[in-house]
Amino acid sequence: MARFNNKKKVFVKPVSTKKQANVDHITGDKIPRSFVFSRCKLPGPLRQLQADLRKLMLPYTALKLKEKRRNNLRDFLNVAGPMGVTHFLMLSKTPTAPYLRVARTPQGPTLTFKIQEYSLAVDIARSQKRPRCPADLFKNAPLIVLSGFGTGEQHLKLTTILFQNIFPAIDVNTVKLSSCQRLVLLNYNKDTKLIDFRHYSIRLQPVGVSQRLRRFVQNHQVPDLRNLQDVSDFVTKAGYGSESEADDEAATVTLANDLGRVNRASSKSAVKLQEVGPRMTLQLMKIEEGLCTGGVIFSEYGNGDGKKKEDKHEDEESDDEDEEIDDEDEENDEEDGEDIDED
């Protein structure tokens, strides 16, 4: 007898991924995108710093960029054009200190920073009593604030232009308040010549509203009123819940439209900043005309003999990085190809 196949064919719906736009539909400018990767083998803390920087650059970066140990700078540059990548953030490590290079693709310039100190996002969260990281915090790009760079020096002007263009521009007349949830602050100290790099989350609190009442509106939870005589005691009774701290007039704004359930239009709200991390203290060491090559526009060691010493120092650092990469290649000779994958 003939056998009949009663198995039903299962239709699997293909997964559709939403493609990000390359041009801002409001300003019409090209949206900057970035790659964050390393130029040598990094220790554990610096690998975590690399992950924190990728998260900071969201949503216009490759969060799950997969690097192979034989990839060189040209490999990243070849895929940067089709993907619309405009900036490279490259971490490296020498026996003396870690370095961060920020470059504009494809022709530069390249800024080399020495990382004097750094703290990871997890360390900052552990130091806080109530760390704040909502699910949609990294849905939009952060705002950029530069302080102390207006000294008129040429290398500081280049630094300002590069960091201003590394994040999408905003139009203050059309920007949505709900999209302004993060802030990147760079503060230059002209005495120490160091740059403080900070990453904050932005939240608004209505002025003159107690913390207990604010939580009631936000969380939709029924309060415990068993020990109260009237509902008004929940709002007016002294000592019930902690009142909001004194608000500084300089840190209050008047909203143009509603933002959430608590912050209403035409009402005053206090702007609160809470650090998210990572935190870095950077020192500008060198500015090159091209992409990690070309003439030196600025050097921390000055011109003449100082410049030669700097070039020699950089060459030694590059040799150390190449030796580390060669050692890794010897351990991984069976690994083929020079592909860069992005999930």
Side-chain angles (χ1 to χ4, degrees):
M1 294 180 64
R3 294 183 179 181
F4 296 95
N5 188 5
N6 295 327
K7 292 184 178 179
K8 295 182 179 180
K9 294 183 178 180
V10 180
F11 175 73
V12 180
K13 186 178 180 180
V15 179
S16 59
T17 57
K18 186 178 180 181
K19 188 177 180 180
Q20 292 180 337
N22 292 326
V23 179
D24 194 329
H25 67 283
I26 297 177
T27 61
D29 299 331
K30 183 179 179 181
I31 297 177
R33 302 177 186 274
S34 61
F35 275 167
V36 182
F37 56 92
S38 61
R39 298 290 291 126
C40 63
K41 184 178 180 181
L42 299 178
L46 282 179
R47 286 200 304 269
Q48 185 60 44
L49 179 62
Q50 175 180 283
D52 291 343
L53 287 176
R54 288 181 179 179
K55 199 171 182 180
L56 180 146
M57 299 299 296
L58 285 175
Y60 301 111
T61 191
L63 182 61
K64 298 181 180 179
L65 180 67
K66 294 181 179 178
E67 315 164 45
K68 292 190 177 181
R69 297 179 179 179
R70 294 186 180 182
N71 291 135
N72 53 32
L73 189 59
R74 183 175 297 177
D75 298 330
F76 292 98
L77 191 60
N78 290 337
V79 298
M83 292 184 178
V85 176
T86 58
H87 293 82
F88 285 168
L89 280 78
M90 299 165 282
L91 284 169
S92 60
K93 177 70 171 65
T94 66
T96 56
Y99 285 81
L100 173 66
R101 289 188 177 97
V102 183
R104 181 72 163 87
T105 62
Q107 298 179 352
T110 303
L111 278 67
T112 302
F113 296 94
K114 182 178 181 181
I115 304 178
Q116 300 283 0
E117 298 175 350
Y118 69 93
S119 297
L120 303 177
V122 63
D123 298 328
I124 294 176
R126 288 173 181 172
S127 64
Q128 297 173 352
K129 186 177 181 180
R130 294 184 181 89
R132 180 179 181 270
C133 188
D136 59 344
L137 183 63
F138 298 94
K139 186 178 179 181
N140 299 285
L143 307 177
I144 179 73
V145 175
L146 301 173
S147 175
F149 288 88
T151 60
E153 299 181 69
Q154 184 65 25
H155 63 282
L156 294 181
K157 290 182 179 179
L158 290 174
T159 306
T160 302
I161 294 173
L162 185 66
F163 278 105
Q164 282 180 342
N165 296 327
I166 205 171
F167 296 108
I170 63 171
D171 187 354
V172 295
N173 297 320
T174 59
V175 65
K176 295 181 179 179
L177 294 179
S178 59
S179 64
C180 303
Q181 296 193 16
R182 292 189 293 140
L183 173 71
V184 173
L185 172 64
L186 279 79
N187 180 45
Y188 177 75
N189 190 331
K190 63 180 181 180
D191 296 328
T192 60
K193 296 183 179 181
L194 298 178
I195 300 174
D196 295 325
F197 185 99
R198 301 290 186 269
H199 182 211
Y200 297 97
S201 66
I202 305 174
R203 59 190 177 98
L204 297 177
Q205 291 182 358
V207 177
V209 179
S210 64
Q211 183 180 9
R212 180 74 65 174
L213 186 60
R214 187 169 60 247
R215 289 181 179 178
F216 167 68
V217 177
Q218 290 177 339
N219 301 333
H220 305 278
Q221 294 180 355
V222 179
D224 186 5
L225 305 177
R226 290 177 296 178
N227 298 327
L228 301 178
Q229 299 296 330
D230 190 76
V231 178
S232 60
D233 295 340
F234 175 74
V235 181
T236 60
K237 186 176 180 181
Y240 190 86
S242 59
E243 295 295 325
S244 59
E245 60 272 12
D247 298 304
D248 187 5
E249 287 294 332
T252 58
V253 294
T254 302
L255 301 181
N257 48 35
D258 296 343
L259 185 61
R261 294 175 55 87
V262 181
N263 300 282
R264 314 301 294 179
S266 302
S267 63
K268 286 189 176 182
S269 297
V271 181
K272 305 292 182 181
L273 297 180
Q274 185 169 351
E275 191 170 2
V276 179
R279 177 194 301 179
M280 293 185 293
T281 301
L282 306 174
Q283 181 183 7
L284 181 61
M285 303 300 295
K286 185 172 65 172
I287 300 179
E288 298 169 287
E289 291 181 351
L291 185 63
C292 298
T293 186
V296 177
I297 302 176
F298 167 79
S299 176
E300 175 62 23
Y301 294 91
N303 298 323
D305 296 338
K307 181 177 178 181
K308 293 180 181 179
K309 292 180 181 179
E310 166 65 10
D311 295 338
K312 182 179 179 181
H313 183 64
E314 293 292 335
D315 292 340
E316 292 177 355
E317 294 173 358
S318 301
D319 294 339
D320 294 337
E321 295 177 8
D322 294 339
E323 291 177 1
E324 292 178 356
I325 296 174
D326 293 339
D327 294 339
E328 295 170 5
D329 291 341
E330 292 177 0
E331 297 174 357
N332 300 273
D333 288 336
E334 297 179 358
E335 183 179 3
D336 298 327
E338 296 184 353
D339 300 329
I340 301 175
D341 301 328
E342 179 185 355
D343 292 346

